[in-house]
Amino acid sequence: MSELRLIHGFHAITAKLRHAAEDIKEIYVAAGRQDSRARDLVKLAESRGVRVLPTDALRLDGLSGGARHQGVVARVAATQRHVTLDDVLDELSEPALLLVLDGVTDPHNLGACLRVADAAGCHAVVAPKDRACGLNATAIKVASGAADTVPYIMVTNLARSLREIKERNVWVIGAAGEAQKDLYAIEQKGAVAWVLGAEGEGLRRLTRETCDEIAKIPMHGSVESLNVSVASGICLFEARRQRA
């Protein structure tokens, strides 16, 4: 395990222990912490054969780069397991449900989108390499474990990937506030990919033109837009509601 990165927070590290403990080199826990959350984490780490090191607060702050680490930091393998869209779609036993993010560069938003995607049973989150943030420690912490359960697939050309998704009989729906049709008027019982842009900027022109159709979330108050993770949840759970 030559190249390592750091993750922090109880949810992120617990998820890594449960799903890929072999990727963890060691875990640093605040010295003297004896609460149930810390004890459960240590117990799980020991059951997976992962070394736990009591560490002072100053070093934890340094390891996490000043982020809110909750008293726990881990060194893990730097490389993510490589998963392609074809890998995901080939293994499905139900119609695909995908979330595509166009221009989401804030790791807090990415982490929240991954968490929503996991809750909705989304099969993968897709983003372009040129206008997206990677899975850094902040995104992983905000995702609360979803970074290890939902594949995050970064593609070189988003429009081309959307065309490939469509060739797999997945209906591609773009979210845009100026659309004529709202999301509740669209049938989503089959395979669906929801495409959302960053708050304010929205979808890029080519991304919009590649979608099969455009839909809006009806807004009944004074605000004009929603955070991308909130909008993602509304769209994905409507697809799940229709399937149920």
Side-chain angles (χ1 to χ4, degrees):
M1 197 179 294
S2 56
E3 294 188 19
L4 300 171
R5 63 186 173 91
L6 293 162
I7 62 174
H8 55 266
F10 279 96
H11 285 300
I13 294 174
T14 299
K16 180 65 75 173
L17 282 167
R18 288 174 176 163
H19 300 286
E22 66 277 8
D23 287 350
I24 304 176
K25 182 180 180 181
E26 55 201 11
I27 298 173
Y28 303 91
V29 177
R33 183 161 180 169
Q34 296 295 325
D35 57 277
S36 60
R37 205 175 192 188
R39 290 198 304 270
D40 290 344
L41 180 71
V42 171
K43 184 177 179 180
L44 179 60
E46 290 174 346
S47 72
R48 299 292 197 272
V50 177
R51 182 171 59 164
V52 178
L53 302 173
T55 307
D56 62 74
L58 188 61
R59 189 179 184 199
L60 287 171
D61 290 342
L63 288 169
S64 67
R68 294 180 60 186
H69 49 70
Q70 300 177 307
V72 57
V73 177
R75 291 187 187 274
V76 304
T79 54
Q80 297 287 322
R81 289 175 174 79
H82 182 67
V83 178
T84 67
L85 267 172
D86 283 334
D87 292 334
V88 171
L89 296 174
D90 287 344
E91 294 179 0
L92 295 182
S93 57
E94 65 173 339
L97 180 59
L98 306 174
L99 174 63
V100 182
L101 302 175
D102 183 24
V104 176
T105 58
D106 185 337
H108 292 88
N109 281 339
L110 172 59
C113 285
L114 286 166
R115 188 171 183 176
V116 165
D118 177 271
C122 184
H123 300 115
V125 175
V126 181
K129 291 180 180 178
D130 62 336
R131 293 186 76 227
C133 56
L135 274 179
N136 61 22
T138 298
I140 291 170
K141 180 177 183 293
V142 174
S144 297
D148 285 301
T149 59
V150 180
Y152 181 53
I153 302 170
M154 302 190 77
V155 298
T156 302
N157 186 310
L158 185 60
R160 182 173 64 211
S161 294
L162 288 174
R163 289 192 291 270
E164 292 171 353
I165 289 172
K166 291 164 68 173
E167 290 172 359
R168 298 293 296 265
N169 297 315
V170 178
W171 193 248
V172 176
I173 310 169
E178 66 275 15
Q180 296 300 309
K181 186 184 295 187
D182 72 48
L183 79 163
Y184 303 114
I186 298 174
E187 183 176 328
Q188 301 176 52
K189 295 179 181 178
V192 168
W194 270 101
V195 189
L196 286 86
E199 184 178 0
E201 298 180 15
L203 301 176
R204 289 182 287 181
R205 179 186 59 80
L206 186 56
T207 301
R208 178 193 296 262
E209 292 175 354
T210 310
C211 295
D212 289 307
E213 64 181 323
I214 302 297
K216 65 182 178 182
I217 297 172
M219 306 289 286
H220 302 287
S222 59
V223 298
E224 297 181 355
S225 64
L226 297 171
N227 176 275
V228 64
S229 64
V230 175
S232 296
I234 293 170
C235 296
L236 293 174
F237 274 99
E238 171 58 16
R240 278 294 172 195
R241 184 195 68 82
Q242 292 193 22
R243 293 183 185 195

